[in-house]
Amino acid sequence: MHISQPEIKVDSQEICIEAHIESRFALQKPDYPQTLWFKFPRRYQNVVCNRSDAFIAALYQIAMGLGEDLSCDGEVSPRLLYGINEVQKTLIHWKPNIYKPIRITAANLVSAPPACVASKHMFTFSGGVDSFYSIWNNIHKKAQGGAFNLTHGIFIQGAVDIPLVYEEKFIKLANQYADLFHDLNMELITMRTNLLHFDHHLVPYNFFVNAPLVAGAMLLNPLISGLVVASSYDYINNKPDGASPLAVRPLCTENLDVIVSGYDSNRFYKTINMADWPVAQQNLRVCIDFFHKDNKKNCSHCSKCLRTRIVLHISGKLERFTLFEPHFGIKDFLEWGRWLEIGYGWEFMILDYCWKHQKKYIPLVLIGMGIGYIRYFLRKILPSSIQKQIFKFTANNDPYELFTQ
């Protein structure tokens, strides 16, 4: 796989940085994209750079999935190249049947330029639990003098939760969150990219999730000096994941630090800890039901909505969250079990919390867990063709079939 010298193009609305991508895989797949692009609002044209750091950080996992060596023509940070080679070892250890060792080379190794203003940090923002916890946690740490100087957030169309095909949804959410960031004395930067189209089920989506985030920060390196990535797990319940410190922290340059935030708490306790925060109550968005017609509210019935609603329900806080359906009944417990994500431990945290605080919900939680585990074991023992049909029947609407992996 080869990355040509990135080019910057500007129109009346956006600034686009793109590069031609050559791959042997593209010869077998006529619909495989040949140009990778990233687009920002035009007002950022003076801070978007045309280095190749972002393109290598975006595509190295795809190249590993293909088993193709990766090379590029543009300027690349020596520190980033070293870091990616370290992450290669981690990914191969985690998923040896998917990732293959590759050689990564750059024609022009040049240190990344310093940011215009030091100590400005941008954080990844999707509107979900991890994102809002990063803000909430940073606000609380400011009082103790240990907070990051969070000045910007990046909200991406073309990432896993908002594919490019959902233009209207992205615009409405971007406008809503821009107003929120203004109230919090920060600036929200939007970015669009076709990076997800390069996946083609070559690598797991939960490992690839960090790629557009890190790439966006590197393209904006003249503006910021650090990227804060919202984690999904904690140090005790650590899992192989694209937002793990082992997979993200090495992806830095001489003048851009990449930091993982929120590893002090898991998603269950993040939800409970910030449940009294009005900002989260009015804006939390976790929904991945892509075909939900109301772009402003959560569908309340996809796997992520149910996972969040059940935690808010057993803690007595669900009715305060205006973007969810306020009641959680027997049907919701059954539906939660139907889409239960096995292997993350969320169900045991819910069971433990109910045992300590809400024993009346234990029978319903156990029934839901039973449904989830039956589905899980059926997927293990049945033929793959039947497994896929079961999963599709018990999964979220998914235009790119990312969640069938």
Side-chain angles (χ1 to χ4, degrees):
M1 179 177 285
H2 181 75
I3 305 169
S4 66
Q5 170 64 48
E7 298 179 359
I8 292 179
K9 299 178 180 179
V10 183
D11 62 24
S12 60
Q13 300 290 326
E14 295 179 308
I15 175 171
C16 173
I17 177 167
E18 63 182 35
H20 180 70
I21 311 299
E22 296 178 3
S23 169
R24 294 194 301 272
F25 184 70
L27 300 177
Q28 309 166 26
K29 297 281 186 178
D31 61 335
Y32 198 70
Q34 297 184 20
T35 300
L36 172 59
W37 52 260
F38 302 89
K39 296 180 180 181
F40 299 88
R42 183 174 178 175
R43 63 181 178 273
Y44 296 106
Q45 62 179 316
N46 293 328
V47 295
V48 173
C49 64
N50 65 343
R51 292 171 56 90
S52 291
D53 298 318
F55 292 86
I56 279 198
L59 290 172
Y60 78 93
Q61 285 195 47
I62 301 298
M64 290 180 68
L66 292 170
E68 295 186 16
D69 290 340
L70 181 61
S71 61
C72 71
D73 293 333
E75 294 181 353
V76 174
S77 159
R79 185 176 179 184
L80 173 63
L81 205 58
Y82 176 85
I84 288 178
N85 284 325
E86 290 299 302
V87 176
Q88 275 202 71
K89 301 170 188 175
T90 302
L91 294 176
I92 291 169
H93 174 72
W94 284 342
K95 296 286 184 180
N97 59 324
I98 293 176
Y99 293 106
K100 307 167 188 68
I102 62 171
R103 184 168 179 262
I104 303 176
T105 57
N108 199 2
L109 289 174
V110 179
S111 297
C116 299
V117 179
S119 301
K120 279 189 173 183
H121 287 75
M122 180 172 72
F123 70 101
T124 58
F125 185 81
S126 66
V129 170
D130 299 324
S131 299
F132 274 110
Y133 181 81
S134 292
I135 304 175
W136 178 86
N137 197 32
N138 204 64
I139 291 173
H140 281 70
K141 284 184 176 180
K142 275 186 178 180
Q144 305 169 9
F148 296 112
N149 181 27
L150 294 182
T151 57
H152 297 79
I154 185 166
F155 185 52
I156 300 174
Q157 183 186 18
V160 171
D161 56 341
I162 305 184
L164 285 175
V165 291
Y166 298 103
E167 182 71 24
E168 182 182 357
K169 180 176 185 178
F170 178 73
I171 292 173
K172 287 185 177 180
L173 289 172
N175 291 334
Q176 173 188 335
Y177 293 143
D179 293 338
L180 170 63
F181 270 63
H182 181 267
D183 294 340
L184 295 171
N185 296 316
M186 293 186 289
E187 182 178 348
L188 183 67
I189 300 174
T190 57
M191 184 184 85
R192 303 193 302 123
T193 178
N194 68 335
L195 175 59
L196 207 61
H197 295 176
F198 285 80
D199 186 5
H200 273 243
H201 289 195
L202 295 170
V203 298
Y205 79 90
N206 58 318
F207 282 75
F208 196 48
V209 67
N210 72 63
L213 311 176
V214 175
M218 289 180 174
L219 291 170
L220 295 168
N221 189 190
L223 178 66
I224 58 170
S225 59
L227 173 70
V228 179
V229 177
S231 69
S232 301
Y233 302 103
D234 59 10
Y235 287 107
I236 297 175
N237 301 287
N238 189 19
K239 297 277 187 182
D241 178 73
S244 164
L246 295 175
V248 175
R249 185 68 183 88
L251 303 179
C252 53
T253 69
E254 292 77 11
N255 290 292
L256 179 74
D257 282 328
V258 181
I259 305 152
V260 177
S261 172
Y263 242 69
D264 57 326
S265 182
N266 60 55
R267 195 172 283 155
F268 177 85
Y269 287 104
K270 288 177 183 178
T271 305
I272 289 178
N273 289 340
M274 66 177 184
D276 293 320
W277 188 32
V279 171
Q281 292 171 357
Q282 297 164 18
N283 296 280
L284 184 65
R285 183 192 68 87
V286 300
C287 188
I288 53 171
D289 190 336
F290 298 106
F291 302 129
H292 181 50
K293 293 181 180 179
D294 189 341
N295 292 324
K296 293 185 177 180
K297 289 192 174 184
N298 296 284
C299 76
S300 293
H301 296 282
C302 68
S303 61
K304 290 185 70 176
C305 282
L306 288 164
R307 183 179 69 197
T308 306
R309 285 177 67 219
I310 192 173
V311 175
L312 294 172
H313 174 65
I314 63 175
S315 62
K317 307 292 178 63
L318 178 57
E319 292 185 358
R320 303 181 189 181
F321 283 74
T322 59
L323 301 186
F324 289 108
E325 292 180 7
H327 303 293
F328 200 91
I330 294 176
K331 183 180 178 181
D332 295 295
F333 276 100
L334 300 179
E335 199 170 20
W336 166 73
R338 174 189 173 193
W339 286 350
L340 183 62
E341 300 161 299
I342 306 297
Y344 297 94
W346 313 125
E347 67 272 25
F348 295 108
M349 296 177 195
I350 290 170
L351 191 62
D352 180 66
Y353 187 91
C354 289
W355 178 260
K356 294 176 180 176
H357 304 285
Q358 294 281 6
K359 286 186 171 61
K360 64 182 178 181
Y361 294 130
I362 289 178
L364 291 172
V365 171
L366 289 174
I367 292 172
M369 289 174 63
I371 293 172
Y373 275 85
I374 290 172
R375 168 183 176 263
Y376 175 78
F377 286 114
L378 285 176
R379 288 191 64 209
K380 289 288 186 182
I381 64 176
L382 293 175
S384 58
S385 58
I386 300 178
Q387 288 181 28
K388 191 169 184 179
Q389 294 305 315
I390 291 175
F391 190 79
K392 281 186 175 181
F393 180 70
T394 57
N396 314 282
N397 292 320
D398 183 1
Y400 296 137
E401 295 189 345
L402 293 174
F403 300 95
T404 61
Q405 301 181 72

